[in-house]
Every structure is written in structure tokens, then in C-alpha cells.
Amino acid sequence: MKVYLIVASGKRKGFPILMQQNIFMLGSDDVCQLRSPLPGIAPRHCAVRIEHPKVFVRDLGSDEGTLVNGARMPASEEWPLHKGDRIAVGPLEFMVQFTERVMKKNDAEEWALKCLDGQDDEREVLEDLELMQHKEEFANAAMAAQGILDRLSAQRGIVKGRLRVSREGPVTCVRLLDSFLVADAEIALLRKELFDALNQNGLRVLIDCKQVARMSTAAAEMFGDLARHLHSLKCTMAMCRLAPELQIILQMLPMFENIPFFRDKGPALATQW
């Protein structure tokens, strides 16, 4: 299967770009296979990855984001692509197309224009697109893109039971995946998973409670036990994205007098605690 990105707007509308590697990176940096210096395009903006017979796109943490069919995709997460989908990278827009045909340049351009037939786009984007020409460059760019994707995967972390554990700089981030911390048996299992995952000295641990919607008194006491456990290991602990009514419950416990709470994850990572 051949995967093409067809320029869907501007003066190069209809230009077919064949993905010559399984990973294809777009941005303004020299390492990208497809480059553009236009405003709104990050140095390493997004990457399209082929895993036959499927194709995925991942935003690489760009400030502007990457749009799929007009909707902004989640940052640093892979998104499946289908035939006819449109990807917007800053002011640029591409249609994703698959074909089994092996085509010469002129045939590919004619086929690409037919793919866009009946899909008007009034935007006049005067893009300056530069496509890598040499196979060696494509291979090096694909390796660089794979390295970026591997680092993003490490940041997303590893799922361990009811936890997603990741490293972001010096901070060990633990995201709770359960929404309801109510049943005693479930709380006991979560307690064991937390203690097993956080058993090293000197850690900085951020407990991310974005998913948690309800919490029982037993769950609050379990978090108190965790705070004492980490204190015994000379670790520091903070919590983020906990619902205000649940935060009040925890702050009633003596062990949480010196535990910082943050509304969002970003400020928690940027603050010393």
C-alpha cells in the first residue's frame, strides 16, 4: 500500500507527496522530510506513521496543534487516519490517500487532482514547501522522528494496573486511571500498586487525580498511608487535578498539612516542592 499526502489548498493544491518511509515528519526543521517556514508550523510539528495496513498521525507537542478533519487532536497522542482524511498543520492542509498502484509522476499528479475533485477550498495559502529528495535523508529523518516518538511514549508512561507511571524530568508522575475510589477491595488493590510502584528513595512524586470523580473515607486514608510511606523513603509528594470537594477531604487529614495541591499538571511540574 502506498500512502500519499495530497496538498489540499494553496498554489500547490493537488501536489501528491509519497511517504517513502514508515515515519514521515512535517515541520520547519531541517530534519523533517516535508518542511515549511510558514508561521504556525513548529520545528517538529507532527509525524505520520505507517503500520500496515493502518496509518496514524501524532502531534509532537506543537503549540498550534494538529487538526484532523477540522478537530484538534490530543497533544502527543497517536490518531488513526483513514482514506480521505484531512490534516491541517498550521496554514497547510493535506488529504490522506492510499493506493495499491505504482504510478509515475504525471499519473500520480492526475490521480491526486481527481481525489480532490469537488472539494473546494477558498483559502489561498502561499506555502513554501520543500520535500527531501534523497533516500538517505529520508532514512535519517525517519530515525529522528522515531526517537521523538519513543521519548513521547516514555513521557506517557507505562500502565501498571490502575496506574499510568511516567517520568517528566525529575518528577515521577502517577496518574490514577479509576474514576471511583469507593469499594474497599479496589482500594486495597490500588494501595498495593501504588506502594509497589513507589518504593525508591528520594523520589519526587506527583499524583495526578484527573480521572477521580468519587472518593470514600477509606480511599482518603489510603492516600494518607501513601504520604507516610513516601515520607519514610525521604520522597516528596504533591497532588494535581483533584476535584475541589475531594481535595477538602484529604486536607482534613494531618498528613496532608504540608502536601501541595495544584489545579493543573503544568504548574505542578514547574514548581519546586
Side-chain angles (χ1 to χ4, degrees):
M1 179 181 70
K2 305 293 184 183
V3 180
Y4 282 84
L5 298 180
I6 300 173
V7 180
S9 63
K11 66 180 181 180
R12 301 199 186 196
K13 182 175 179 179
F15 181 71
I17 300 167
L18 174 64
M19 287 185 57
Q20 299 185 37
Q21 298 285 331
N22 286 344
I23 297 179
F24 193 88
M25 190 157 54
L26 294 80
S28 60
D29 196 294
D30 286 345
V31 75
C32 298
Q33 289 105 316
L34 184 63
R35 300 183 289 268
S36 175
L38 287 175
I41 297 178
R44 300 176 183 188
H45 198 110
C46 69
V48 179
R49 184 176 68 86
I50 302 173
E51 188 174 305
H52 292 292
K54 298 180 180 180
V55 180
F56 303 88
V57 63
R58 173 178 279 178
D59 183 84
L60 299 178
S62 65
D63 292 336
E64 301 80 2
T66 302
L67 304 184
V68 177
N69 297 327
R72 181 164 178 160
M73 60 178 294
S76 301
E77 292 189 12
E78 277 199 330
W79 200 260
L81 294 174
H82 305 91
K83 183 176 181 180
D85 281 352
R86 291 200 177 209
I87 305 172
V89 181
L92 302 178
E93 187 172 11
F94 305 90
M95 174 185 281
V96 181
Q97 282 291 347
F98 312 147
T99 181
E100 298 293 340
R101 296 167 56 192
V102 177
M103 295 181 286
K104 296 180 180 179
K105 181 180 178 181
N106 290 342
D107 293 335
E109 290 176 356
E110 182 179 352
W111 167 78
L113 285 170
K114 286 182 178 178
C115 290
L116 292 173
D117 277 352
Q119 302 191 31
D120 295 329
D121 191 332
E122 298 178 355
R123 293 189 307 164
E124 286 298 327
V125 182
L126 300 179
E127 65 266 31
D128 183 4
L129 291 173
E130 183 180 358
L131 181 66
M132 282 186 176
Q133 300 298 322
H134 302 292
K135 290 184 178 180
E136 295 81 2
E137 289 181 327
F138 267 97
N140 291 337
M143 289 177 62
Q146 185 62 63
I148 294 170
L149 296 180
D150 289 344
R151 288 194 295 275
L152 288 172
S153 296
Q155 288 178 0
R156 290 193 65 208
I158 300 171
V159 174
K160 298 181 178 181
R162 293 159 179 77
L163 313 172
R164 183 184 292 277
V165 183
S166 62
R167 290 282 296 183
E168 298 200 26
V171 178
T172 299
C173 298
V174 180
R175 181 166 179 173
L176 308 180
L177 302 180
D178 284 349
S179 298
F180 301 103
L181 307 182
V182 177
D184 290 344
E186 296 294 322
I187 293 169
L189 288 172
L190 177 60
R191 182 185 190 278
K192 183 180 186 306
E193 290 171 354
L194 283 166
F195 278 58
D196 288 346
L198 304 171
N199 59 3
Q200 299 179 38
N201 292 320
L203 296 175
R204 290 181 60 199
V205 178
L206 178 63
I207 306 296
D208 185 349
C209 301
K210 182 180 180 181
Q211 295 291 111
V212 179
R214 289 180 58 194
M215 180 192 304
S216 68
T217 302
E221 292 173 350
M222 180 270 296
F223 282 119
D225 291 342
L226 177 64
R228 282 186 284 272
H229 166 72
L230 292 173
H231 182 73
S232 71
L233 294 174
K234 302 187 185 319
C235 300
T236 56
M237 171 178 161
M239 302 187 76
C240 71
R241 299 199 281 193
L242 184 64
E245 63 273 17
L246 301 182
Q247 181 176 324
I248 291 172
I249 295 173
L250 290 186
Q251 289 179 320
M252 293 174 63
L253 300 176
M255 197 62 205
F256 283 86
E257 290 179 358
N258 298 316
I259 301 293
F261 290 82
F262 298 89
R263 176 178 293 181
D264 294 310
K265 187 177 179 180
L269 294 172
T271 304
Q272 291 294 326
W273 33 269

